[in-house]
Amino acid sequence: LVSCNYLSGEQITGLSSGVPLMARCINANFTFANFARSLLYSAISTLRIGFDILKNENVEVDKLYGHGGFFKVGNVGASMMASALNTDVSVMESAGEGGAFGIAVLASYMGSNRSLPDYLKEYVFKGAKENLCAPDASITLGFSVYLDRFLSLLEAERKVVEVLS
């Protein structure tokens, strides 16, 4: 199962608009678990494409901090993201707060005289519990197969957008 969850398109993949699209390979096992996995993988596929661009530009990422709804349920999102991006993902106890929390943090940071990393470390996340997820080789392998299919599905997505727009 492979899905493309674009609603408004995605510039990094060359789509200016989108249509949610789900495809089932001929021999795919259509279970709820596989359906849910395809939706989660789809949510991080474009991020991985961007990560590959950064890697080609020699940008190194040691660790990401996950924040928002994707990280609300245990380690599922963090483990998938760490494996998909092949980098550690840390999730703080406040991770489920999402975008409004992040905007408020940035607004309060604007009045500070510190670097953003120092501000986050000393004021926002000081004393917060952090859960670190490292890449899992079996998930990385599964995501790699998924990403190849996702990239192929983007051709179908382009055609669907063209036909339905």
Side-chain angles (χ1 to χ4, degrees):
L1 303 175
V2 61
S3 63
C4 181
N5 59 5
Y6 293 172
L7 289 172
S8 60
E10 178 57 58
Q11 294 305 312
I12 202 164
T13 55
L15 286 148
S16 59
S17 61
V19 175
L21 185 61
M22 169 63 74
R24 178 182 182 261
C25 297
I26 293 172
N27 60 353
N29 189 5
F30 200 132
T31 64
F32 178 75
N34 287 341
F35 175 70
R37 186 178 298 109
S38 76
L39 295 175
L40 291 170
Y41 280 173
S42 177
I44 53 181
S45 290
T46 304
L47 180 61
R48 167 59 188 274
I49 294 166
F51 242 64
D52 288 345
I53 292 169
L54 291 175
K55 186 177 180 182
N56 289 336
E57 295 177 353
N58 298 315
V59 175
E60 293 183 29
V61 177
D62 298 326
K63 177 171 61 170
L64 291 177
Y65 285 90
H67 217 77
F70 194 80
F71 303 99
K72 276 190 164 188
V73 182
N75 290 333
V76 175
S79 178
M80 286 186 168
M81 186 174 285
S83 301
L85 303 177
N86 202 28
T87 193
D88 291 345
V89 173
S90 181
V91 179
M92 306 296 245
E93 61 188 349
S94 61
E97 298 305 317
F101 177 78
I103 298 298
V105 167
L106 286 175
S108 71
Y109 162 72
M110 294 306 293
S112 115
N113 291 328
R114 301 188 180 282
S115 70
L116 181 58
D118 288 346
Y119 181 80
L120 293 173
K121 186 179 188 181
E122 296 171 16
Y123 293 102
V124 178
F125 299 122
K126 185 176 183 176
K129 293 179 185 170
E130 181 178 345
N131 186 21
L132 185 68
C133 286
D136 176 297
S138 64
I139 296 173
T140 299
L141 180 61
F143 180 80
S144 180
V145 170
Y146 180 88
L147 185 62
D148 288 342
R149 291 182 180 145
F150 178 83
L151 292 169
S152 296
L153 185 69
L154 288 178
E155 293 305 313
E157 176 75 5
R158 283 182 183 82
K159 188 64 176 173
V160 170
V161 167
E162 176 187 316
V163 169
L164 296 181
S165 294

